[in-house]
Amino acid sequence: MDGQPHPAATDAASDREAVIKVRGLRNQFGRQVVHDGLDLDVWRGEVLGVVGGSGTGKSVLLRTIVGLNKPAAGSIEVLGVDVLNASEAERQSVEQRWGVAFQDGALFSSLTVLQNVMAPMREHLRMSRGLMKALGELKISLAGLPPLACGKFPSELSGGMRKRAALARALALDPEIVFLDEPTAGLDPIGAAAYDELIGELQRSLGLTVFMVTHDLDSLYAICDRIAVLAEKRVLVEGPIETMTSVDNAWVQEYFTGPRARAAQEKGLRGK
């Protein structure tokens, strides 16, 4: 590929558009091979849950797609752009079309919540400070935080509020794709359920595509349209969560048929 935008892949059966297309991905750190020959499509408008056992490289895959890790081999297209070979201008242009919320928030500790959310705007947009402030306050509200949170520093927030602040920053540039890394990790069940509900509402109202790395079975049943299971250094299987119980793999069977999975399934059915 030449780094120029290419038509996004589509699924001939349903004309779904693949906004992320990964082929033959190999991630390696020294002698440790994390991924080898990994293929994955993410369809526009879906919530994809990426799961796998410890060490399968769930977060590594996310970080590779968004450009924080350089793979040893393979290709990655996001929104029709070959991100591994794109020019700097092309790369910056496509990066403005996605947002990322990391597990620990990764907020700037010396900036307030509002300043954190305004940071991507200052970097990429040309607009008055007043307009950026108004947009920042809107994003903070969309993330479910009260106006009082705008002036607080990350250290003054609870874990759940930091996650919502990180989400507000991820939404700063009106992205088409949002990447979430273990978004409910460390939250109590009530807080986790509220966050799942928020993501579902934002996905529907804003038309987002959500790439979510998670181990939370409740999240998988509550909001995910499709699951991708990482195992054996690749995407072992992908599909609706209902199909996971028929997969002939010990980890998949234990994960999706155990007591916690049954409880999560019942909770998810009650919520629909």
Side-chain angles (χ1 to χ4, degrees):
M1 296 185 178
D2 54 11
Q4 298 297 320
H6 297 268
T10 58
D11 176 24
S14 61
D15 290 329
R16 294 179 299 177
E17 179 189 355
V19 293
I20 301 173
K21 184 177 179 181
V22 180
R23 292 292 181 271
L25 189 69
R26 181 181 177 89
N27 277 311
Q28 184 171 354
F29 302 97
R31 295 184 177 180
Q32 181 187 11
V33 178
V34 179
H35 302 133
D36 193 11
L38 185 151
D39 297 337
L40 178 66
D41 287 323
V42 181
W43 306 111
R44 181 178 292 279
E46 76 171 343
V47 180
L48 177 72
V50 179
V51 304
S54 178
T56 54
K58 302 180 293 295
S59 294
V60 171
L61 175 59
L62 184 156
R63 293 172 64 86
T64 303
I65 294 172
V66 302
L68 297 177
N69 176 66
K70 185 174 177 59
S75 65
I76 302 172
E77 285 189 20
V78 181
L79 297 166
V81 175
D82 174 7
V83 295
L84 297 180
N85 297 300
S87 69
E88 183 64 25
E90 291 165 344
R91 176 82 195 184
Q92 288 188 5
S93 178
V94 75
E95 284 180 352
Q96 293 180 45
R97 300 170 68 187
W98 73 56
V100 186
F102 294 103
Q103 180 175 347
D104 59 358
L107 298 168
F108 299 114
S109 60
S110 61
L111 301 181
T112 66
V113 169
L114 180 58
Q115 290 168 337
N116 265 281
V117 175
M118 290 170 58
M121 301 179 194
R122 289 199 301 269
E123 181 178 356
H124 296 289
L125 305 179
R126 291 185 177 181
M127 60 175 59
S128 69
R129 176 175 173 79
L131 183 54
M132 284 193 292
K133 181 175 181 292
L135 285 174
E137 290 170 345
L138 174 61
K139 305 301 180 182
I140 290 167
S141 176
L142 282 175
L145 288 173
L148 199 63
C150 292
K152 292 185 177 294
F153 291 93
S155 61
E156 299 174 309
L157 303 176
S158 67
M161 292 179 73
R162 282 196 298 274
K163 288 179 182 290
R164 289 175 182 259
L167 177 61
R169 189 175 63 181
L171 296 173
L173 300 179
D174 296 327
E176 297 171 49
I177 305 171
V178 173
F179 295 90
L180 305 175
D181 190 3
E182 297 284 7
T184 59
L187 297 182
D188 63 77
I190 295 175
Y195 192 97
D196 286 339
E197 185 177 352
L198 172 65
I199 295 300
E201 290 176 353
L202 290 173
Q203 186 275 329
R204 291 187 293 271
S205 62
L206 302 178
L208 298 172
T209 301
V210 180
F211 181 105
M212 181 170 66
V213 170
T214 186
H215 69 279
D216 192 330
L217 281 157
D218 288 341
S219 298
L220 297 178
Y221 279 101
I223 61 171
C224 289
D225 300 299
R226 205 160 53 97
I227 311 298
V229 179
L230 299 191
E232 301 172 13
K233 302 177 183 178
R234 59 189 174 90
V235 175
L236 179 69
V237 62
E238 54 83 14
I241 196 166
E242 295 81 10
T243 66
M244 294 296 113
T245 56
S246 62
V247 176
D248 185 17
N249 176 271
W251 186 89
V252 176
Q253 283 293 315
E254 182 178 359
Y255 189 74
F256 287 101
T257 64
R260 294 183 66 185
R262 292 194 295 271
Q265 182 180 21
E266 291 175 4
K267 185 186 297 183
L269 290 173
R270 287 198 302 270
K272 292 180 179 179

